[in-house]
């Protein structure tokens, strides 16, 4: 049956191809563009135009990648100085404050119904410090589910612990033996809930600190490779120009080479200096701080267990049938000895080593006095042992206070060492991202001017 007269016949393949070729953006259009580029590449002006475009793009890419990679490293270095390390230090301070509060609570209980004012003040200060730092940590540890969970645990358990201590004090003032049970229960809550949560918070924040260190220290391979390629391209263009024209210098290309060289040297030297300073802050600052904080925590826990040995009077035994608190004291003192030895080996100057050396001497004296106090207690002289443990002079408490003071001095010194070295590392990268971007634009402009001068010779 014949087609109706008003219906057009389908287009032939030839006509369809003609229509497609006339449409913008088709394969035929790209083919024409490639054909034009190939034709341009057969002439010297066309080749120069292509070479200039490629070199300019290489230089701009070099500057852009340098700015991007160094901005990333600079941000990580800034986080080391102003965010992750302070958060790690705050987490250590939370642990220390909680452990010291537990020690002060036991010391105050041993003093009897009339708790010494300075001991009570120390306990209140520790609780207030821990509470304040928990609020600060909650506001600054955004994005860390582990940290948020541990902070929530401590915020929940700290009021309960404080309540148990107050119950112990109230019963102790009235001479009720149940006060000791409340204090032991408070210590159990501290040992099984609060301190483990504080330890996990410290580990999480320290882990973030080391992640920032690693990110800041990673070498900018992409920027370095692009810089070498860009300089190689510029050198090749200038050599080609010399061989074809016998002209030694092209001012535009020479300026582009100089700017690119400055960026590459700035990149290599700046990152090397930053990496060296950050490594110094890590090895001689943060690592020392970590060991010293651990040593201080061990000394606090040893002191708390020493006090609780007299509070419990042998009523709490471990699985081996020995006094739980005495066994814990021995364990923590061994840990303290090892950590002080590690801190001494990490200290790289006299200001860091001297207080640790003094702490070792005071720890040894503490051990001797503790052994004498245990002998006194085991012989039945509880009051004599109490004086040897919490007395104003000649007591184990005096040695503990000296160890704590010397560790505080060492921590302050190492914190200063860390801050100085890490700040220097951050400063070595300052200005490099912006400088690289500006110099890359100038280098691209110089290459463009140099090529355009050659093109002008063909007009």
């Amino acid at each position: 049956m014949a087609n109706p007269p008003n219906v057009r016949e389908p287009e032939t393949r030839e006509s369809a191809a003609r229509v497609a070729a006339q449409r913008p953006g088709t394969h035929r259009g790209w083919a024409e563009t490639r054909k034009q580029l190939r034709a341009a590449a057969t002439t010297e002006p066309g080749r120069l135009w292509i070479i200039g475009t490629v070199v300019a793009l290489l230089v701009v890419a070099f500057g852009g990648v340098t700015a991007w990679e160094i901005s990333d490293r600079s941000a990580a270095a800034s986080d080391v100085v102003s965010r992750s390390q302070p958060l790690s230090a705050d987490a250590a301070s939370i642990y220390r404050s909680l452990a010291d509060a537990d020690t002060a609570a036991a010391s105050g209980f041993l003093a009897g119904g009339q708790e010494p004012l300075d001991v009570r003040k120390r306990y209140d200060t520790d609780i207030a410090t821990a509470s304040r730092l928990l609020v600060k940590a909650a506001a600054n540890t955004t994005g860390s589910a582990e940290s948020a969970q541990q902070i929530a645990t401590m915020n929940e358990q700290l009021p309960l612990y404080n309540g148990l201590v107050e119950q112990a004090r109230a019963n102790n003032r009235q001479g009720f033996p149940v006060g000791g049970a409340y204090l032991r229960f408070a210590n159990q809550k501290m040992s099984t809930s609060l301190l483990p949560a504080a330890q996990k918070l410290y580990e999480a924040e320290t882990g973030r600190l080391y992640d920032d260190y690693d990110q800041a220290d990673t070498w900018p391979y992409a920027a370095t490779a692009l810089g070498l390629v860009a300089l190689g391209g510029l050198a090749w263009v200038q050599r080609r120009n010399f061989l074809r024209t016998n002209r030694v210098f092209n001012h535009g290309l020479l300026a582009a080479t100089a700017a690119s060289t400055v960026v590459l040297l700035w990149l290599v030297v700046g990152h090397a200096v930053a990496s060296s300073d950050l490594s110094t802050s890590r090895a001689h600052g943060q690592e020392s701080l970590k060991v010293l904080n651990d040593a201080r925590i061990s000394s606090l826990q040893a002191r708390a267990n020493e006090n609780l040995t007299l509070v419990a009077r042998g009523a709490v035994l471990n699985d081996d049938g020995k006094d739980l608190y005495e066994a814990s004291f021995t364990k923590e003192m061994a840990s303290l000895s090892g950590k002080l030895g590690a801190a001494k080996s990490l200290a790289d100057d006299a200001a860091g080593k001297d207080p640790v050396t003094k702490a070792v001497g005071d720890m040894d004296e503490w051990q001797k006095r503790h052994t004498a106090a245990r002998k006194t207690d085991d012989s039945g002289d509880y009051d004599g042992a109490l004086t040897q443990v919490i007395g104003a002079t000649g007591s184990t408490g005096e040695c503990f206070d000296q160890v704590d003071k010397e560790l505080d001095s060492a921590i302050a010194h190492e914190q200063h060492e860390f801050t100085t070295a890490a700040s220097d590392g951050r400063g070595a990268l300052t200005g490099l991202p912006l400088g690289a971007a500006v110099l890359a634009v100038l280098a691209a402009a110089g290459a463009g001017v140099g090529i355009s001068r050659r093109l002008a010779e063909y007009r």
Side-chain angles (χ1 to χ4, degrees):
M1 179 168 140
N3 288 327
N6 61 338
V7 177
R8 297 176 59 187
E9 290 289 336
E11 295 178 344
T12 64
R13 290 184 180 179
E14 292 77 7
S15 62
R18 254 192 329 271
V19 171
Q22 294 170 359
R23 294 172 187 163
T26 62
H27 178 72
R28 180 66 178 272
W30 285 111
E32 289 294 333
T33 302
R34 289 197 299 272
K35 183 177 180 181
Q36 291 172 5
L37 287 174
R38 282 196 298 269
T42 61
T43 65
E44 181 61 13
R47 285 192 289 267
L48 284 173
W49 183 86
I50 293 172
I51 289 171
T53 301
V54 171
V55 168
L57 288 175
L58 271 176
V59 172
V60 170
F62 169 44
V65 172
T66 298
W68 169 61
E69 286 197 318
I70 296 302
S71 293
D72 184 64
R73 273 64 169 179
S74 182
S78 294
D79 283 343
V80 167
V81 178
S82 59
R83 185 184 64 86
S84 51
Q85 201 280 332
L87 284 174
S88 175
D90 284 346
S93 294
I94 289 172
Y95 196 118
R96 180 214 168 269
S97 296
L98 292 174
D100 193 57
D102 200 44
T103 300
S107 296
F109 188 91
L110 283 175
Q114 295 298 323
E115 185 177 7
L117 183 60
D118 60 331
V119 176
R120 178 58 186 261
K121 184 178 180 180
R122 181 171 181 170
Y123 172 85
D124 291 339
T125 300
D126 285 332
I127 294 298
T129 300
S131 300
R132 175 178 56 80
L133 291 177
L134 282 172
V135 172
K136 182 181 177 183
N140 290 287
T141 55
T142 55
S144 175
E146 174 68 17
S147 295
Q149 180 181 351
Q150 304 312 324
I151 291 169
T153 298
M154 285 184 279
N155 279 327
E156 177 185 338
Q157 296 297 321
L158 187 55
L160 299 178
Y161 169 82
N162 196 37
L164 290 169
V165 171
E166 292 302 328
Q167 288 278 5
R169 284 170 173 161
N171 282 280
N172 194 35
R173 281 194 297 269
Q174 299 177 67
F176 296 155
V178 73
Y182 274 112
L183 187 65
R184 292 194 299 273
F185 189 29
N187 173 261
Q188 183 182 13
K189 185 169 288 294
M190 177 66 75
S191 301
T192 59
S193 297
L194 283 163
L195 291 182
Q199 179 68 28
K200 289 178 182 177
L201 175 64
Y202 176 61
E203 290 171 355
E205 295 303 330
T206 303
R208 292 175 68 185
L209 169 60
Y210 288 143
D211 288 343
D212 286 337
Y213 263 123
D214 292 339
Q215 186 176 355
D217 195 47
T218 303
W219 188 265
Y221 292 105
T224 305
L226 271 173
L228 293 173
V229 171
L231 283 176
L234 285 165
W236 176 82
V237 171
Q238 290 175 90
R239 182 176 182 277
R240 181 181 185 278
N241 186 51
F242 169 72
L243 292 175
R244 288 178 177 270
T245 66
N246 239 10
R247 294 171 184 168
V248 178
F249 295 119
N250 178 296
H251 294 123
L253 292 173
L254 192 62
T257 303
S260 298
T261 302
V262 169
V263 174
L264 185 59
L265 289 175
W266 194 356
L267 167 68
V268 172
V269 174
H271 192 276
V273 171
S275 179
S276 176
D277 287 335
L278 288 170
S279 295
T280 299
S281 75
R282 181 171 181 168
H284 299 296
Q286 174 57 29
E287 292 298 331
S288 292
L289 283 170
K290 186 176 186 303
V291 173
L292 288 168
N293 281 320
D294 289 344
R296 197 173 194 184
I297 288 166
S298 292
S299 72
L300 287 164
Q301 291 180 332
R303 179 60 178 170
N305 283 306
E306 182 178 45
N307 290 336
L308 286 166
T309 300
L310 292 176
V311 173
R313 299 190 183 188
V316 183
L317 306 178
N318 60 15
D319 294 337
D320 297 329
K322 297 180 180 179
D323 187 296
L324 173 65
Y325 298 116
E326 178 62 19
S328 297
F329 170 83
T330 302
K331 177 183 176 182
E332 293 299 339
M333 289 299 282
S335 175
L336 173 61
S337 178
K339 287 164 183 171
L340 286 177
K344 189 174 180 180
S345 65
L346 285 170
D348 61 337
D349 57 11
K353 190 167 293 187
D354 288 348
V356 178
T357 302
K358 292 177 182 177
V360 171
D362 287 322
M363 178 196 67
D364 292 339
E365 181 62 24
W366 182 0
Q367 289 272 32
K368 293 177 184 177
R369 293 182 185 183
H370 175 82
T371 301
R374 292 311 312 143
K375 288 181 179 179
T376 302
D377 188 31
D378 291 341
S379 67
D381 185 4
Y382 177 82
D383 290 336
L386 191 63
T387 301
Q388 289 176 295
V389 171
I390 65 171
T393 58
S395 66
T396 59
E398 186 179 33
C399 294
F400 162 73
D401 287 338
Q402 283 299 115
V403 169
D404 193 62
K405 179 182 177 182
E406 285 144 5
L407 286 174
D408 185 61
S409 176
I411 288 171
H413 172 74
E414 297 299 339
Q415 182 66 51
H416 176 73
E417 292 279 291
F418 164 83
T419 302
T420 300
S423 296
D424 289 344
R426 178 180 60 180
L429 299 176
T430 301
L432 178 52
L434 178 60
V438 171
L439 287 172
V441 171
L442 292 176
V449 169
I451 294 296
S452 67
R453 293 288 298 274
R454 288 282 293 118
L455 286 171
E457 298 172 0
Y458 291 89
R459 292 173 187 169

